[in-house]
Amino acid sequence: MKAATATIRATRDFDIGVETLWAHWTSPETRARWEAGPDTGMAYDAFDTRTGGVEIVRITHDGAEVGQMTQAHHRVEPPRLLATTTTGAFGGVTTMLMTLVIEFTDTRKGSRLSAVSQVIDLTGRDIRAEHEKGWTWILDRFQADLDAFGPVTNPKDTA
């Protein structure tokens, strides 16, 4: 079997300032809703968005744990940069590796989130379409959370 690889780019503009965008993206309170809500099949042991922080994401399907992802934050520069690696293990075997860099920049009307992820699927699955769909899904959920609850603006609410 040959590993499958993909480089995925995702960009979305928001009508809020970069510091507010960062605060909402990294807040444990908001992440629990938009990234790991009860409808996602993902549960975090804890949120730790700081350099050196590690997060374990347990993946469930039909109420049973089927795998986990370990996210390690290697470089965190609020409110501009997140650099993370993720290892996915399913059935007790590492099946996925990913590097991810997210940049937060100012625009004339607000801010932009730009993400680049490099993904390796060790089972050989073609993962490009799955990860592109995943970025659309996560950014749509993030925008919906902003729309429903308003942005988090208090820095103490963020990691």
Side-chain angles (χ1 to χ4, degrees), residues 1-157:
M1 169 183 351
K2 184 176 179 174
T5 64
T7 299
I8 311 299
R9 289 176 171 74
T11 301
R12 181 83 54 104
D13 288 349
F14 297 90
D15 293 334
I16 57 177
V18 72
E19 289 169 354
T20 303
L21 178 65
W22 173 274
H24 202 87
W25 187 266
T26 60
S27 163
E29 176 188 354
T30 64
R31 285 181 71 198
R33 290 191 306 252
W34 63 266
E35 188 177 17
D39 60 327
T40 66
M42 297 188 303
Y44 279 74
D45 284 351
F47 295 105
D48 190 355
T49 310
R50 61 189 168 100
T51 298
V54 175
E55 302 172 342
I56 306 294
V57 185
R58 302 198 183 283
I59 310 299
T60 59
H61 183 69
D62 292 333
E65 187 173 318
V66 295
Q68 68 180 30
M69 296 187 300
T70 303
Q71 297 178 166
H73 300 293
H74 299 283
R75 207 161 140 194
V76 180
E77 298 176 6
R80 300 289 177 185
L81 178 78
L82 281 172
T84 302
T85 56
T86 302
T87 304
F90 295 86
V93 176
T94 299
T95 60
M96 186 269 300
L97 303 166
M98 179 175 66
T99 58
L100 170 63
V101 174
I102 303 175
E103 293 181 283
F104 302 79
T105 56
D106 296 305
T107 65
R108 287 181 65 194
K109 294 184 177 184
S111 56
R112 175 172 296 140
L113 181 152
S114 301
V116 176
S117 60
Q118 296 178 310
V119 186
I120 301 170
D121 187 287
L122 298 171
T123 67
R125 291 179 314 128
D126 180 4
I127 40 85
R128 176 175 299 284
E130 179 182 320
H131 280 262
E132 287 173 346
K133 182 180 176 184
W135 269 107
T136 299
W137 178 84
I138 203 93
L139 291 171
D140 287 350
R141 286 180 65 93
F142 181 74
Q143 182 65 62
D145 193 81
L146 280 167
D147 294 344
F149 297 97
V152 168
T153 57
N154 187 345
K156 74 177 180 129
D157 293 336

